[in-house]
Amino acid sequence: QVNPWMLPQLGLGPSSRIMHTVPARECQEHFEESVSARDLRSNFLWFSVLFGILHGVVTTPLVIATSALNPSVGFVGNATLNIFTMLSTFLAAPALIAGLGLKFSILLGMFFYCVYAGLFAVAAWVCPVQQQLLQLALFTIASCSGGVAAGVLWTAQGGYFGRTVDLLVRKEGSERSELTSSLAGSFAFYFLGFEVTAKLLWSGLQRVGAEGWAIAAGFTLVGLLATLLMTQASNLSSADQGSSWRSKVTVATGLWSDPAVFLLSGLNLTFGFSAAFMNGYVNSKFTAVQIGPWAVPLFAAATALVAAVLSKVLGAVAIRAGKGFVLSLGSLGFFCIASSFFMLDQSQGWNGWLLALYFMQGLGRAVYESTSKGVFADFFPGRAVGAFANCMLQSSSAFAMCFFLSDVLQGPELARIVMVLSVLTPLGYLSAVRLRALEQQRLAAKASGVQGGDAERAL
């Protein structure tokens, strides 16, 4: 057995002499063949914990931007972040993963996320809300960095997850569908759990009088520490590592000829619109006004807490009842948020009852962070990087579109979009399942015909 934490001592680390005499790809293959399933699971736990810490501490500004900064600056910055996420997912991520591999692309994405949080801290410190132009410039630069980070990091994370599943299926002989449900649930639990911790800490520090820029600066340092520790994670290979930029982009766009990519996009689009609706509209128009700015990160922490708890539960439910059932539950949560808005818009104020909307968002997010990603891994085995690039592209495009529309459309129009998408989500999944079943039937019939022809020629 090979301990993944001992790679440098075993001659498989980047600083070892063997790296200078044996191609890096062969070192990765040697490690992946010799490492045990137990060590792979330990490595994935290490990866999930550090990823969760980083994401929790550096993405809180995304939630509080419209309430902590000038609202217009927050809307523009968040929309810019998601535009750059789309561009990064489509252009930067393929090139970086092809050239650097999964691990070092993840490290680069984590670093740029820290730059995003650090520049947010500078914007909050240097600029009072009245100095909108300077604040806009700083937060826009920060959002560009955050968008590049998100596109690269999440695409590489999908590839890392998919490669871990591939290796465990080979070494354990486990059922792929059950394995994706289990690992996706575990990843989402730690990922969301640390997000809860970060948001509660931010809310508590803000409640006792700490300045937002100081909290953001401290969080940035924690993110940098998590990035440093991530260097100890195993360097798993990507099926497309070392290929050209053009061929890598083709891997992502090549899936567009498969209707399943678009049929499975429902929950990604619904989550993107619903999260942007909550962050950009409900947070600034209702929660911050009716309760106070300190309640925004606190209620967002409630969303992440519900999602963290349910991600583990729904992972087990998906194994027993099927992923389609769980996707329907997530869609129902998003539908309830949007439909509840019409009562919220006509009432004098929900005050503490606003928390119910954040709970329902937590249900939908639990499905998005776990089961939905497991579905993509199931439908596109061996093509995880391209599949997760499309997954990220779908959700980030919905985020950006909703943030831009928030300045043009009113709340009811945005809520109706979420309602329509939530209804279409389970229908799209059922259509994708049916499409795959028909494809398998055609392949089986074709294989049967070839075998029959060979038998006749043999006679």
Side-chain angles (χ1 to χ4, degrees):
Q1 293 185 356
V2 178
N3 189 330
W5 322 129
M6 301 295 290
L7 285 178
Q9 290 87 335
L10 292 172
L12 296 177
S15 61
S16 63
R17 286 177 296 178
I18 201 169
M19 287 292 290
H20 300 291
T21 57
V22 180
R25 180 74 177 186
E26 293 182 15
C27 282
Q28 289 178 322
E29 292 175 353
H30 174 73
F31 163 68
E32 292 173 354
E33 289 298 326
S34 59
V35 70
S36 68
R38 179 180 178 181
D39 286 336
L40 278 172
R41 288 184 175 274
S42 297
N43 176 72
F44 188 73
L45 174 61
W46 177 259
F47 170 81
S48 300
V49 168
L50 293 176
F51 193 103
I53 292 173
L54 180 281
H55 186 270
V57 299
V58 304
T59 58
T60 302
L62 178 64
V63 176
I64 67 171
T66 56
S67 55
L69 305 176
N70 183 289
S72 296
V73 171
F75 279 123
V76 172
N78 288 343
T80 301
L81 183 145
N82 285 285
I83 289 174
F84 271 78
T85 299
M86 289 188 291
L87 294 174
S88 173
T89 300
F90 188 67
L91 299 175
L96 288 172
I97 294 174
L100 300 178
L102 294 173
K103 175 182 175 179
F104 294 104
S105 297
I106 288 169
L107 291 173
L108 190 63
M110 293 176 73
F111 174 75
F112 275 104
Y113 249 154
C114 293
V115 172
Y116 166 69
L119 287 176
F120 173 84
V122 174
W125 174 57
V126 173
C127 311
V129 175
Q130 292 79 9
Q131 297 181 1
Q132 181 176 347
L133 186 60
L134 183 55
Q135 192 174 76
L136 176 63
L138 285 169
F139 192 54
T140 299
I141 296 172
S143 299
C144 293
S145 178
V148 172
V152 173
L153 189 59
W154 280 106
T155 302
Q157 181 273 337
Y160 203 90
F161 171 82
R163 186 56 179 167
T164 301
V165 170
D166 291 340
L167 293 173
L168 287 174
V169 167
R170 184 194 310 169
K171 294 176 182 295
E172 295 181 342
S174 306
E175 177 68 29
R176 185 180 184 87
S177 179
E178 293 185 6
L179 195 56
T180 55
S181 295
S182 174
L183 289 183
S186 296
F187 175 82
F189 175 77
Y190 293 108
F191 166 77
L192 295 167
F194 283 109
E195 183 178 329
V196 171
T197 304
K199 286 181 170 60
L200 287 177
L201 183 58
W202 185 293
S203 181
L205 291 173
Q206 196 172 48
R207 186 69 169 164
V208 298
E211 294 288 342
W213 69 265
I215 303 173
F219 276 23
T220 302
L221 294 177
V222 175
L224 288 170
L225 177 60
T227 303
L228 180 63
L229 293 175
M230 185 65 87
T231 59
Q232 300 302 307
S234 299
N235 188 14
L236 302 184
S237 64
S238 169
D240 305 300
Q241 187 174 335
S243 58
S244 67
W245 174 87
R246 186 181 299 274
S247 64
K248 192 67 173 61
V249 172
T250 304
V251 170
T253 59
L255 294 181
W256 292 356
S257 61
D258 188 344
V261 170
F262 302 101
L263 292 173
L264 296 174
S265 67
L267 197 73
N268 294 328
L269 297 175
T270 307
F271 170 74
F273 268 96
S274 183
F277 175 68
M278 291 290 293
N279 293 342
Y281 198 85
V282 175
N283 284 351
S284 60
K285 301 291 185 181
F286 297 99
T287 306
V289 174
Q290 295 181 16
I291 302 177
W294 61 269
V296 173
L298 180 64
F299 282 17
T303 293
L305 177 61
V306 171
V309 173
L310 290 181
S311 62
K312 275 283 191 181
V313 176
L314 293 176
V317 172
I319 294 174
R320 296 179 178 275
K323 292 186 175 71
F325 174 74
V326 176
L327 286 176
S328 299
L329 288 179
S331 299
L332 179 63
F334 291 133
F335 184 88
C336 289
I337 293 172
S339 59
S340 297
F341 170 78
F342 294 99
M343 294 182 290
L344 175 68
D345 196 40
Q346 296 173 6
S347 67
Q348 296 299 316
W350 282 26
N351 296 314
W353 288 103
L354 284 167
L355 195 59
L357 299 181
Y358 293 84
F359 282 170
M360 288 184 285
Q361 180 71 10
L363 168 61
R365 188 177 175 189
V367 178
Y368 168 78
E369 300 288 5
S370 57
T371 306
S372 180
K373 289 180 169 58
V375 168
F376 269 78
D378 289 341
F379 269 77
F380 305 101
R383 295 181 288 174
V385 172
F388 279 86
N390 280 284
C391 184
M392 192 65 190
L393 189 64
Q394 292 163 3
S395 59
S396 58
S397 62
F399 261 111
M401 192 179 303
C402 189
F403 274 119
F404 275 126
L405 292 177
S406 294
D407 262 352
V408 179
L409 301 180
Q410 298 299 313
E413 286 79 9
L414 297 174
R416 291 189 183 99
I417 294 174
V418 175
M419 292 171 67
V420 171
L421 290 173
S422 63
V423 171
L424 293 176
T425 294
L427 298 178
Y429 173 77
L430 292 175
S431 299
V433 170
R434 179 59 179 166
L435 178 66
R436 278 291 185 269
L438 292 175
E439 290 175 351
Q440 291 175 358
Q441 290 176 6
R442 285 196 294 267
L443 289 173
K446 184 178 180 180
S448 177
V450 171
Q451 291 175 357
D454 291 341
E456 291 179 2
R457 284 192 293 272
L459 292 174

